[in-house]
Amino acid sequence: MAVNQTESRVGALLRDWRHRRRLSQLDLALAADSSSRHISYMETGRAKPSRAMILRLCDALDVPLRERNTLLLAADYAPAYRESSLDDASLAAVRSALDIMLTAHEPYPAVVVDRLWNVVSGNSAMNLFMADIPEALMSPQPNVYRLVLHPDGLAARLANLTQVRELFLERLSRQVNATGDAALRTLYGEVAAYPPPPDFSDAPDDDAASPNPFEVPLRIRTPFGELRMFSTMATFGAPADVTLSELAIELFYPLDEFTAAALRGFAADQMSWNPLPTPPTASTAWSIGSIGAKNAGE
């Protein structure tokens, strides 16, 4: 059977995802209820996979929804997953859920991010992190990795920058390897090259003297003193929309009572701080309605 350009492209993409997941053709065939011979034929272009087969292989390979659409397009099929803007009426419940989660988490910080770690929205407690951040790092849209690791950002206030930097870069590297996302790879190259802040020095590591369940807590110097926090990530279950599948909510929690008391005090004193900008326009960096339209144009 003649190999055409379309078949070669989708086959190469399928092979790339199989290699990324470290599966043999037999492993993938068993997971997708197929045969290793058929997998080989699809990868080499001797057979064109059906739309249903591509989606079944994507399930077996745990391919992100955005890349599932890419595979379908490579085989001349229509995308299976919609990519919405959060402004869309169909995602009104999502916007409401995000607002509820962010507000309910106060007085502790919480932030919503997209697949590239761009900040979509945050609650008032996030102002503790954003104080004195240069405008250049806040526009056109703040990015968690730039905010934390840039020498003019939070890096200058982290008491354990070396630990946090290693953890962040390892996490981003794993994400790049898992997704193959070129934009994430570019972000990694950028933030990995950041120099340390002027007069950089880590505070003594006294975590061993006060054991906690987290190897690398976030230790940040603030006007209230050094605060210690850990975070957890939440995502939406069973998404059928690309934008929704790429949203994550990072929730920060105090690691000790001093930090908890300081965060409560900060919340009570919010009138003396400028709140995170949350205008209703979808073009504003902090608006939760802007992210779908932005990703669709990338």
Side-chain angles (χ1 to χ4, degrees), residues 15-49:
R15 183 170 56 250
D16 180 65
W17 278 105
R18 180 174 61 80
H19 288 167
R20 185 172 286 115
R21 298 297 184 249
R22 298 183 179 180
L23 295 176
S24 67
Q25 290 180 341
L26 179 59
D27 291 333
L28 179 56
L30 292 173
D33 192 23
S34 184
S35 68
S36 56
R37 181 178 183 180
H38 190 37
I39 298 295
S40 175
Y41 277 20
M42 287 186 289
E43 290 185 352
T44 59
R46 295 180 66 184
K48 179 180 177 179

Side-chain angles (χ1 to χ4, degrees), residues 158-161 200-206 219 221 226:
L158 289 176
N160 60 336
L161 173 59
F200 159 72
S201 65
D202 273 342
D205 183 7
D206 56 359
R219 298 171 55 191
R221 302 181 182 99
E226 182 182 302

Side-chain angles (χ1 to χ4, degrees), residues 248-284:
I249 305 97
E250 187 160 18
L251 305 168
F252 294 87
Y253 294 88
L255 200 52
D256 53 45
E257 181 52 37
F258 174 81
T259 300
L263 291 171
R264 290 193 296 268
F266 174 74
D269 195 36
Q270 278 289 280
M271 293 301 294
S272 64
W273 293 71
N274 292 323
L276 287 178
T278 53
T281 59
S283 61
T284 303

Side-chain angles (χ1 to χ4, degrees), residues 42-65:
M42 287 186 289
E43 290 185 352
T44 59
R46 295 180 66 184
K48 179 180 177 179
S50 67
R51 177 184 174 87
M53 174 57 75
I54 290 176
L55 292 174
R56 195 155 78 237
L57 292 171
C58 286
D59 281 337
L61 293 167
D62 193 25
V63 177
L65 299 194

Side-chain angles (χ1 to χ4, degrees), residues 189-229:
E190 175 191 334
V191 299
Y194 286 159
D199 304 321
F200 159 72
S201 65
D202 273 342
D205 183 7
D206 56 359
D207 289 330
S210 302
N212 66 72
F214 297 95
E215 183 178 356
V216 183
L218 184 67
R219 298 171 55 191
I220 181 170
R221 302 181 182 99
T222 75
F224 298 93
E226 182 182 302
L227 306 187
R228 299 185 178 218
M229 287 172 277

Side-chain angles (χ1 to χ4, degrees), residues 84-100:
S84 306
S85 165
L86 278 174
D87 281 332
D88 290 355
S90 62
L91 294 186
V94 172
R95 295 194 300 272
S96 177
L98 291 173
D99 287 340
I100 290 170

